[in-house]
Amino acid sequence: MDIKVEVGEKGAGTIPYESLPAFTYLFRELGFDVQPDTENRKVQLSSALHGKRIVISSDYDVKYNTFRKHLLERKVLEYIQTFLSACGAKVILIDEKKESERADFHVCFSLFEIPGIKEPILELIHNSKSANKKVLDIFHYECTRTGTKFKSNEVVRSSSNPFINIQIMYPVITDEDFWKKIGEKYAMSITIGILARFYESSPLSALSLVPIEIFSNMFFHSEKTGVNLEPAIQKEKKLPEKKKFLLKKPAITKRKEAAVFLDYHIFIEELEERNKIKLIGNLHIKNIGTEVLRNPVICLRSSPSESIKISGQILPPNVAETLGVMKNEETQGWKYMNDEWFEEMEKGETWICPIQSKHINPRQTESLTNLQISVLQPEENSNIRVEAFVFFKEQDLEISSSNQISLLLTKKQ
């Protein structure tokens, strides 16, 4: 007897009864939820996202901002909801925070039109449970494809549920042009990044996200599509033996190399007596070599030293073990390297190192986040400068930051 195959509520043909075990195994490997029902002579296939609850919302932690584009923000979220729902997920678009507590995954989104910037920026904030290497690589690729600068930061939060927070800033453009040129692309890119979150370990499971007739027609010859892979297979078989060496992977040259860069925002508070200037930023260390880099030591050199104070999530050496953030039963975070750190800062150098041993794998990025740099006595016609250097003593490697913080304060005419 034949067994009917159903995908969702649609029939997708029949298979011989004796093929049911092999069929079940194959489609489970492809990511489908397979439910054989021999009593009713049918087998039910469901998407790998079937039953997953994904909550998407505007970022309710961001306060009112004159540059925020609420209507376009909602439109992007609605498109993301449509894309994910078509993959079989239960997608909940909300405006309240409580719903996220019952979600398998939560995505917060905010959109800003910022005067003065030249290129769009996408910043991804995530916790350790939400973003794997595949997710970060996908977002980086999608940003490159759309001409968008990509930033990624991991934060430690008490939430037990995985989440990502996506913030997009873009130059001034009409609402209509935004959607035609980049809005729809962002909705698609964010959806692709979310899908990567669920399928890093089983990439073939992504086949279950599209209608079965699409990829079945892609891989099997039919009169309807005219697709036939046989010539390509035969061509591979006939490859001359003496040419097959060309397919071998080249030997990888080992190298120790890293890229160091700063990103920051400037805040100026206008006071009656003088202006108060503060910078908040991050220092990123990306391993672009092939060897693991161990225990980075950071030096921030500032001038004029008497006018600059550097602080943030950096602990004094004597309290680092007690107050550091616990992660995997180890104290994580950064501390000042020397007990005389305050005197060193007054002389224009701030030395920082990890609280515990820190390894940076190839293609991995470690960041010193939430650096706070205050200009204590901003003087007219003065040049404020902060440079960054990173040292790996075990590998005998020294790297200076590819950029630096530089402010020129001029006198009003």
Side-chain angles (χ1 to χ4, degrees), residues 55-59 68 70-84 91 93-95 107-110 179 187 190-191:
V55 171
I56 58 176
S57 68
S58 294
D59 188 358
R68 192 163 182 180
H70 291 278
L71 294 179
L72 288 176
E73 186 175 291
R74 186 76 178 189
K75 189 174 182 179
V76 171
L77 288 171
E78 288 173 351
Y79 267 73
I80 294 173
Q81 182 183 33
T82 300
F83 292 146
L84 290 174
V91 186
L93 177 56
I94 63 169
D95 295 314
V107 180
C108 293
F109 178 65
S110 53
W179 190 253
I190 292 171
T191 302

Side-chain angles (χ1 to χ4, degrees), residues 381-394:
N381 300 321
S382 62
N383 188 6
I384 304 297
R385 186 184 301 274
V386 178
E387 302 171 279
F389 305 89
V390 177
F391 302 87
F392 295 93
K393 186 177 180 180
E394 295 180 32

Side-chain angles (χ1 to χ4, degrees), residues 159-326:
S159 173
S160 59
N161 296 323
F163 77 92
I164 58 174
N165 189 317
I166 300 170
Q167 183 180 95
I168 294 178
M169 296 168 281
Y170 65 95
V172 174
I173 190 175
T174 65
D175 290 357
E176 183 178 354
D177 284 342
F178 167 83
W179 190 253
K180 287 182 179 179
K181 294 181 179 179
I182 55 178
E184 187 177 15
K185 293 179 181 178
Y186 284 142
M188 294 183 65
S189 297
I190 292 171
T191 302
I192 293 171
I194 295 171
L195 296 179
R197 159 65 177 76
F198 287 94
Y199 300 113
E200 181 195 31
S201 59
S202 303
L204 286 180
S205 297
L207 288 173
S208 72
L209 302 177
V210 297
I212 190 171
E213 61 270 15
I214 292 180
F215 68 83
S216 63
N217 285 339
M218 289 174 60
F219 295 117
F220 302 101
H221 173 69
S222 70
E223 294 180 359
K224 182 178 179 181
T225 61
V227 178
N228 192 342
L229 298 184
E230 185 177 354
I233 297 173
Q234 294 297 328
K235 184 178 180 180
E236 173 64 22
K237 289 181 179 179
K238 294 178 181 179
L239 186 66
E241 290 294 329
K242 64 181 180 180
K243 295 286 185 68
K244 287 187 177 180
F245 73 93
L246 296 174
L247 301 179
K248 294 181 179 179
K249 295 182 179 180
I252 299 176
T253 303
K254 295 182 178 181
R255 68 182 191 278
K256 295 173 289 186
E257 193 174 356
V260 179
F261 57 95
L262 292 152
D263 70 72
Y264 59 93
H265 299 277
I266 304 173
F267 298 89
I268 301 177
E269 183 179 357
E270 295 187 0
L271 305 175
E272 292 184 1
E273 299 179 358
R274 59 182 177 83
N275 292 337
K276 184 178 179 181
I277 301 175
K278 189 172 186 178
L279 299 93
I280 297 180
N282 310 293
L283 174 68
H284 305 285
I285 309 168
K286 181 175 183 179
N287 187 342
I288 58 176
T290 62
E291 301 293 296
V292 177
L293 300 178
R294 299 177 176 84
N295 302 323
V297 173
I298 299 170
C299 175
L300 300 176
R301 183 178 299 165
S302 57
S303 64
S305 58
E306 68 277 2
S307 299
I308 298 175
K309 177 185 177 183
I310 298 176
S311 59
Q313 297 175 340
I314 312 167
L315 298 175
N318 58 337
V319 297
E321 294 291 339
T322 305
L323 300 180
V325 177
M326 292 299 296

Side-chain angles (χ1 to χ4, degrees), residues 316-318 336-344:
N318 58 337
Y336 295 106
M337 187 173 179
N338 304 313
D339 293 331
E340 302 80 16
W341 59 272
F342 189 78
E343 291 80 0
E344 291 176 343

Side-chain angles (χ1 to χ4, degrees), residues 1 8 35 38 43-44 70 97 100 112 128 147 166 215 240 250 254 281 286 292 302-303 323 358 363-364 367 402 411:
M1 64 178 178
Q35 297 295 333
T38 55
V43 58
Q44 184 76 32
H70 291 278
K97 193 171 185 178
S100 65
F112 299 89
S128 59
I166 300 170
F215 68 83
K254 295 182 178 181
K286 181 175 183 179
V292 177
S302 57
S303 64
L323 300 180
K358 187 181 293 292
R363 301 180 67 181
Q364 179 185 349
S367 300
S402 59
K411 184 177 181 180

